[in-house]
Amino acid sequence: MSGSDPAEVSASTDEEVQETATDHLGMRRAKLDRLRAQGIEPFPHDFDGAQSIGALRSSYEGRLDAGEEGQERVRIAGRLAARRGSGKAAFLDVVDRSGRLQVHARIDLLGEDAYERVLSLDLGDLIGVDGTMMRTRRGELSVRTDAVTMLAKSLRPPPDKHHGLQDVETRYRKRELDLVANEETRELFMTRAKIIASVRKFLDEDGFIEVETPVLQPLYGGAAARPFTTHFNALDSDFYLRIATELYLKRCIVGGLERVYELGKDFRNEGLSTKHNPEFTMLEWYEAHSDYEDVAARCERLVATAASAANYSGDLDFSPPWRRLTLRQAILDGCGIDVIEHRERDELAAAIKQRGFDVAPNDSWAQLVDELLTKHVEPTLIQPTFLVDYPVELSPFAKRHRSEPGLVERFEAYCGGMEIANAFSELNDPDEQRARFETQRAAAAAGDDESQPFDESYLEALELGMPPTGGIGIGIDRLVMLLTGRQSIREVVLFPAMREA
RNA sequence: GGGCCGUUAGCUCAAUUGGCAGAGCAGGGGACUCUUAAUCCCAAGGUUGGAGGUUCGAUUCCUCCACGGCCCA
């Protein structure tokens, strides 16, 4: 944009401003023009040396009595959130990521022109403030300013200064408005970052290395889910967005990396709900020479660590050890049906009907078990609980149980009525893995669109030899929901998936 | 996919049986040198989500559509 012509700017006089009194954008643009006409750059390039408001507040804790003025020069930067008074002295509330601080602006310290510019600031403008620290007579820590700098003019009005932004749809679609208006939202996403940082630190300190495996995959796998499909132009072939990182991470274990983790997005082409966003953040780790018991122990320690990083203070008790019970026992407790006693499909279906529950006519034995788990057990698992020892039919990548026939060494972690983790002693016998893929192929042929595609290159990797390995996937968004007390995944994802407006 | 609820000023919310669509905040003009949801005075601000229908008259009743929330599948 070229420099504005003062002659043109003068056309934007007070009469014209008055004419468009409720044209918020127009009013703000007029002020922008006026600043430029005064030779003031409304979008300067930098503003060095601003202190964090939160840090400044802490450092003045217990310092300065009410009405007292300090000597230290300070500089803060943030968004103008409120203004009180005007005549010859005004109070501004400036908000940065760490908090809010009052600024006292006086005409005798700023001079008439600068004070006039302070009065013409709009709520939402980004400003820098220089001055000295003081406490008002009522004890409010404040900056007594002698220089206010426009850092970026805001051309749109911010949401209500007191009620914030309430409309859920707008909060999700325009998260920046939510972040500007609602301190709670800012805090939530800072907490989310602390949780994720604590997870990385925990694993790094335990000798894991963070790796990055393909998001775009020629074949998807590692979970029961439908994928997103895309076209790779240069290769002229269809690719999939990953639904899990599992198979590539185990290839890293085959390669000798011993302890690996990946923290990133998975994509599942399925419905949206308060617990499902189609792209979501997953943590998976794999550790050589471990089994699912070792993984469970690490999982409960990791979650407890994350809870403390989040300053969690709710009703859930994450301290290890968590409750452990078998899947069989959990379903028996939850609905009085012993799924292992009824190992045949029709037999189980009869038992379920006898209990008065519906049975979908085409569900397999495994699907019936999964249905019982999801409907009757999962909602009751509030305190952290490991359900252990799953049927082999539900777990194509888990190693058969060392003592229980027909079961695999697998657990799922449940908390707050939600599944948050899924783990197993990894199947490393390539021939058995091949047989499991064959079973999946048969399921696919029978119409199961969540079955595992046959992955020959994964089998080749296993044939090279994978050490005994334990692995896990943890849903990070759900973990954040639990640790921040949110009921919807959309509250903890910055920009959740939304239908086009 | 089904059920229920919602959509009104920039934001937060009202509006009686179907009878001129209102307030607070923000924004505009003015007063104010310790306010903090500042206060006081004045003026302004609307295609009531969209399209139809019923009616003399629709924010209100009906149908369809869009978007969202909650619950169910």
Side-chain angles (χ1 to χ4, degrees), chain A residues 140-204:
Chain A
E140 177 85 20
L141 187 68
S142 306
V143 179
R144 168 159 290 167
T145 185
D146 47 40
V148 175
T149 309
M150 177 69 82
L151 300 184
K153 181 69 189 168
S154 171
L155 295 176
R156 290 180 183 275
D160 189 283
K161 69 176 180 184
H162 183 241
H163 298 95
L165 178 65
Q166 301 295 325
D167 183 75
V168 174
E169 184 174 353
T170 309
R171 288 185 46 237
Y172 294 163
R173 285 189 193 277
K174 301 185 179 176
R175 184 70 87 178
E176 65 282 5
L177 286 176
D178 189 23
L179 289 164
V180 163
N182 299 326
E183 188 182 357
E184 270 185 286
T185 303
R186 290 197 293 277
E187 281 173 358
L188 182 131
F189 287 104
M190 289 191 275
T191 300
R192 180 180 169 122
K194 282 182 190 161
I195 291 168
I196 288 173
S198 78
V199 164
R200 282 205 163 93
K201 181 162 178 279
F202 179 93
L203 291 169
D204 292 343

Side-chain angles (χ1 to χ4, degrees), chain A residues 388-423:
Chain A
V388 303
D389 299 345
Y390 280 59
V392 64
E393 293 91 330
L394 288 169
S395 320
F397 297 105
K399 198 169 194 165
R400 67 184 156 68
H401 198 282
R402 61 195 76 186
S403 60
E404 302 290 330
L407 299 183
V408 293
E409 293 192 351
R410 171 182 175 190
F411 71 78
E412 288 185 317
Y414 287 88
C415 193
M418 265 189 314
E419 179 201 341
I420 59 164
N422 179 24

